[in-house]
Amino acid sequence: MGQVGTGAYRTKLKHMKKMAIYRLQNFSTFAFFILVSFSLLSGPGISKVQAFEDASEIHHTYLNQENFLDIKSYQFHKLQDEVWSASPGGWRLSGGSMGLDLLFSHFEMRLPHSLSEETTVFFRAQQEEFYEIKPFRYLVEVEWRPYDIAAFSLLGMPEYDKRKADQGASITLGKRPWKYLRFQQLFQDLYYNEKNFYDDSYYSPHPLEKILEGAFSWNNWRASFSHLLDLPFKQVFPKQGLTFNYKGQDSSFMLDYHFREQQLAGFSWRSFNIHKRRKKTNSTETASADNREQQLLYRSIDLYFLHPLNTELHSTIGLREDYFQNLFRQLDLEKDSYDYHLWTLQFYAILRQQTAVDRFWEYGLYGGDTDKVTNYLSTAMTDKTRRKHEAKLRVSKEFRNLSNHSALMLTTSWNLDNFFNDFWDGGNISYQQTF
């Protein structure tokens, strides 16, 4: 018995030794990728002012009265969101007309690749444009998960101009999609001051972005949230006499109750608050784009109920409110300063019809009350106020490929509130693939 016990003990020691070597090898792989990532981002290296999503310019607002009805009709259906949220990877894009000159655009991509049981590399990107131009941004992430309960990551955005490279890290408790809590911190343009050999501009302090997000499920309930905070920073251009200041935050929350498959009720909420200031001393240009201050505020709440009518028909009804503000200040010309807002309260109904295994029709009806106001601070200017009802009809055809979990949707929109004078209201194309 003693020899058997000793043999079992030695076998256990060998197994523990193998596991230790295995974990050390995986950690070594992870550490190697860390070193490679940092060397790529921080090696030796004329750009615009950088800021939250690199959107550093200050513009007027050109939204149309019906644009929040447009945006709602172009967003992915709640059933598509359900598939997207439950999938580890994929990409999707939706773009639709918001008038003669503007296009609503929503893009997301997450590409995971497992190097081992413990190490995964991700490529992530997300962009939404409806109120200003935003340059494309992405993140490359190397995640090490020594235990199921926790993961640690290094992430960043490599750039040819190394002044503009971003670096950060994150810690995740739990696992996606519905049982995790994640904290991420990202330094934008981390080596700008060190590697800026082109001019005398500098950050004080560097842009720092913090994100806290999570998702949880229990019984029939599902909830998710995200809070992004951009700490205040300043970028100074001494030769130009220009200073750019920025701070902002973006938050979202979703709560759903699932009665059964494809039947649920819930609401989603989002808000952001962004403050920018561009100040140039001794400017010779009146109403200069470098002498402006702006605060962008937005809030949206969407209440929805989804219910299958039979095996072929599925219905969605909802109530949504959007409120967007642009508090615009022209620092060198007071009469051009104003407070702008666009408010929309809309009711919508969507009928989804399955005509084949891989074919669907969707019919959407959107109608609501809108209020568009520009209040000038100067009495010399005349305020602009317009409140009116808006209504539109959406007709969409969806094509699915069941083998690769993809769906393409083509949409036409029709203006119902002024049909005989202006019946055409643009269109939309969306595509989603998950894996």
Side-chain angles (χ1 to χ4, degrees):
M1 291 294 293
Q3 292 179 350
V4 173
T6 303
Y9 179 71
R10 290 177 177 175
T11 302
K12 185 176 181 181
L13 284 178
K14 289 181 179 180
H15 177 73
M16 292 176 64
K17 184 177 179 181
K18 288 182 179 179
M19 291 300 297
I21 294 174
Y22 173 76
R23 290 186 180 276
L24 182 61
Q25 289 174 341
N26 279 279
F27 178 77
S28 300
T29 303
F30 177 69
F32 171 76
F33 275 97
I34 290 176
L35 294 175
V36 171
S37 300
F38 269 89
S39 64
L40 287 174
L41 291 171
S42 60
I46 256 170
S47 67
K48 297 193 305 180
V49 182
Q50 300 290 304
F52 171 63
E53 296 184 319
D54 286 354
S56 61
E57 305 299 321
I58 298 178
H59 301 288
H60 298 284
T61 297
Y62 301 102
L63 294 176
N64 293 326
Q65 198 96 10
E66 72 278 3
N67 277 163
F68 284 123
L69 276 72
D70 296 331
I71 291 173
K72 179 57 190 176
S73 69
Y74 298 153
Q75 290 177 333
F76 289 96
H77 192 279
K78 180 64 179 178
L79 294 179
Q80 292 176 300
D81 283 336
E82 291 278 296
V83 174
W84 177 261
S85 299
S87 303
W91 72 278
R92 61 179 185 170
L93 171 66
S94 178
S97 174
M98 294 176 60
L100 295 177
D101 304 310
L102 298 179
L103 181 82
F104 168 78
S105 175
H106 179 91
F107 173 76
E108 291 181 84
M109 175 179 286
R110 51 175 185 256
L111 302 177
H113 179 71
S114 297
L115 299 177
S116 66
E117 292 183 1
E118 298 178 344
T119 307
T120 306
V121 177
F122 295 90
F123 178 86
R124 305 182 192 274
Q126 183 171 353
Q127 185 183 45
E128 183 182 57
E129 293 178 291
F130 74 89
Y131 62 92
E132 69 178 356
I133 299 172
K134 294 186 178 182
F136 180 74
R137 296 179 60 82
Y138 65 91
L139 284 178
V140 178
E141 176 182 351
V142 182
E143 178 188 84
W144 180 54
R145 183 176 289 274
Y147 305 101
D148 286 343
I149 194 175
F152 308 91
S153 299
L154 286 180
L155 46 94
M157 187 178 79
E159 288 277 358
Y160 176 75
D161 184 351
K162 295 181 180 179
R163 299 176 304 166
K164 300 171 62 179
D166 301 342
Q167 277 189 32
S170 72
I171 179 171
T172 304
L173 301 178
K175 276 188 176 182
R176 301 185 184 194
W178 289 113
K179 292 183 179 179
Y180 79 95
L181 183 66
R182 174 186 172 94
F183 175 74
Q184 175 180 303
Q185 181 168 282
L186 182 69
F187 290 92
Q188 297 183 354
D189 302 354
L190 180 58
Y191 295 97
Y192 187 93
N193 293 351
E194 176 184 337
K195 302 182 182 302
N196 181 24
F197 304 112
Y198 300 95
D199 55 39
D200 57 351
S201 63
Y202 60 91
Y203 282 113
S204 177
H206 274 89
L208 175 60
E209 176 186 280
K210 297 184 177 183
I211 300 178
L212 178 65
E213 64 178 16
F216 308 93
S217 65
W218 61 98
N219 296 327
N220 295 337
W221 293 94
R222 289 183 182 178
S224 65
F225 75 93
S226 175
H227 178 67
L228 182 149
L229 178 65
D230 279 297
L231 298 183
F233 72 85
K234 177 173 64 175
Q235 189 173 19
V236 182
F237 296 81
K239 289 185 179 180
Q240 302 177 33
L242 173 65
T243 302
F244 174 72
N245 296 80
Y246 178 89
K247 64 179 180 179
Q249 64 180 37
D250 193 329
S251 303
S252 62
F253 177 78
M254 182 275 294
L255 179 65
D256 288 343
Y257 181 84
H258 290 246
F259 301 95
R260 57 189 176 93
E261 186 178 0
Q262 295 192 349
Q263 182 179 4
L264 63 92
F267 77 93
S268 63
W269 168 85
R270 186 192 174 192
S271 73
F272 61 70
N273 185 343
I274 299 170
H275 186 261
K276 307 178 188 180
R277 179 183 173 92
R278 298 176 68 92
K279 179 63 178 176
K280 189 172 185 179
T281 58
N282 302 322
S283 175
T284 59
E285 180 183 356
T286 305
S288 169
D290 286 329
N291 268 320
R292 292 176 176 175
E293 187 173 4
Q294 177 184 65
Q295 186 174 11
L296 299 169
L297 301 112
Y298 175 68
R299 74 168 187 266
S300 174
I301 184 168
D302 192 355
L303 308 172
Y304 43 82
F305 176 70
L306 283 71
H307 179 71
L309 301 177
N310 53 43
T311 57
E312 296 179 353
L313 298 176
H314 185 278
S315 67
T316 302
I317 58 173
L319 183 67
R320 171 168 168 155
E321 182 190 36
D322 294 270
Y323 186 62
F324 175 82
Q325 292 178 278
N326 181 3
L327 309 183
F328 183 92
R329 302 293 181 265
Q330 185 67 53
L331 301 178
D332 53 3
L333 193 62
E334 184 181 357
K335 74 179 185 67
D336 285 353
S337 299
Y338 58 82
D339 292 342
Y340 168 92
H341 81 246
L342 176 59
W343 170 83
T344 302
L345 178 64
Q346 63 175 299
F347 170 82
Y348 61 90
I350 303 171
L351 181 64
R352 184 174 174 85
Q353 179 186 16
Q354 184 172 5
T355 58
V357 176
D358 56 353
R359 296 289 187 272
F360 295 83
W361 283 97
E362 272 194 14
Y363 312 94
L365 182 63
Y366 307 83
D369 188 16
T370 68
D371 187 40
K372 183 178 179 181
V373 175
T374 303
N375 286 325
Y376 288 95
L377 273 60
S378 173
T379 56
M381 301 293 291
T382 303
D383 295 340
K384 301 176 182 178
T385 302
R386 189 183 189 191
R387 184 162 187 169
K388 66 187 295 281
H389 296 296
E390 293 284 349
K392 66 179 297 182
L393 173 68
R394 171 174 69 89
V395 180
S396 306
K397 179 69 173 180
E398 182 179 299
F399 305 87
R400 283 192 175 184
N401 188 322
L402 302 179
S403 62
N404 65 6
H405 306 286
S406 62
L408 172 67
M409 178 176 285
L410 307 177
T411 293
T412 60
S413 297
W414 306 89
N415 189 11
L416 297 183
D417 58 275
N418 191 21
F419 183 81
F420 295 103
N421 294 324
D422 184 19
F423 63 89
W424 176 247
D425 199 31
N428 165 247
I429 298 177
S430 67
Y431 178 82
Q432 175 172 300
Q433 181 178 11
T434 58
F435 46 79

